[in-house]
Amino acid sequence: MTPAHAGTPASQAPAQAPSQAPAQSPGAARPAGAAPELAQLMAGIESYRRPLQGARLPAATLPAVLGSQPMVILHFLRHLGCAFCKHSVDQLAALYAQAPHMPPILFVHQSPVEAGEAFFAQRFPGAAHISDPGLELYQLFGIQRMRPSSFLNPGFLWAGLLITLRGYFQGPRQGSGELLTGTFVFRQGRLVWQHRARVAGEEPNWRALSK
């Protein structure tokens, strides 16, 4: 597999910044945005035994889901009303239709299961998804939050204009609007590649992940 341009090999996962809260026990709550070290993240995954809520999941617990196939992609969405997320899910649906050899992808979102079912029925029928309204998985995986200044970033505003011109509009927000996306690739249940967005609309090179 060729790593996508903006990602980080799991062995080079960024350490927690000194200004952030100290490391917590595996599975403990962590403010979103504090990227965990690899060993800490894997320990948290292994200890997370709560039954997952979602649809078309290959197993009931997080460790079993991530080890259910030789390779699994776990992708965190911002929220189901996000115009960028609508576009990316549409693009992924088209990519998977063209390249069925792609590793299975599981989406994580903040909405109830029923809202997720309605969203994916329209954009990616048959997609597996996990409902995480309590943000436990977002915290576990250290999903970043947009800084207030990022909403005024010229690049973000330009990307928002382009996505609008493509016919994607912001819908009702379900959950936090500050959370960003994150993508994690697991091989035999072990994390081998990760990408945490720093601004809305920033995503990995999906085609590179298929190689």
Side-chain angles (χ1 to χ4, degrees), residues 64-166:
V65 164
L66 299 178
S68 61
Q69 297 289 333
M71 188 174 293
V72 172
I73 301 173
L74 187 69
H75 182 57
F76 288 78
L77 298 173
R78 294 186 63 225
H79 60 85
L80 298 187
C82 171
F84 294 110
C85 292
K86 294 174 185 176
H87 176 260
S88 71
V89 172
D90 284 355
Q91 294 298 303
L92 282 166
L95 177 59
Y96 271 78
Q98 298 167 4
H101 64 281
M102 285 277 291
I105 186 168
L106 295 96
F107 296 93
V108 183
H109 58 84
Q110 303 180 54
S111 299
V113 175
E114 297 76 13
E117 283 286 80
F119 177 87
F120 289 105
Q122 179 182 2
R123 302 192 174 279
F124 196 157
H129 61 94
I130 299 170
S131 170
D132 184 32
L135 305 183
E136 293 181 356
L137 298 180
Y138 284 83
Q139 293 172 351
L140 175 61
F141 281 83
I143 301 302
Q144 307 291 299
R145 291 182 181 272
M146 277 190 71
R147 299 176 180 177
S149 59
S150 297
F151 289 97
L152 300 177
N153 182 286
F156 169 71
L157 296 175
W158 178 246
L161 174 61
L162 291 179
I163 208 75
T164 300
L165 293 176
R166 293 176 183 174

Side-chain angles (χ1 to χ4, degrees), residues 11-54:
S11 60
Q12 300 176 14
Q16 198 170 356
S19 61
Q20 294 168 339
Q24 299 166 328
S25 59
R30 179 189 299 109
E37 295 182 0
L38 175 60
Q40 183 181 1
L41 176 55
M42 289 306 305
I45 291 171
E46 288 300 322
S47 66
Y48 192 93
R49 298 291 175 172
R50 300 179 186 85
L52 297 173
Q53 302 298 315

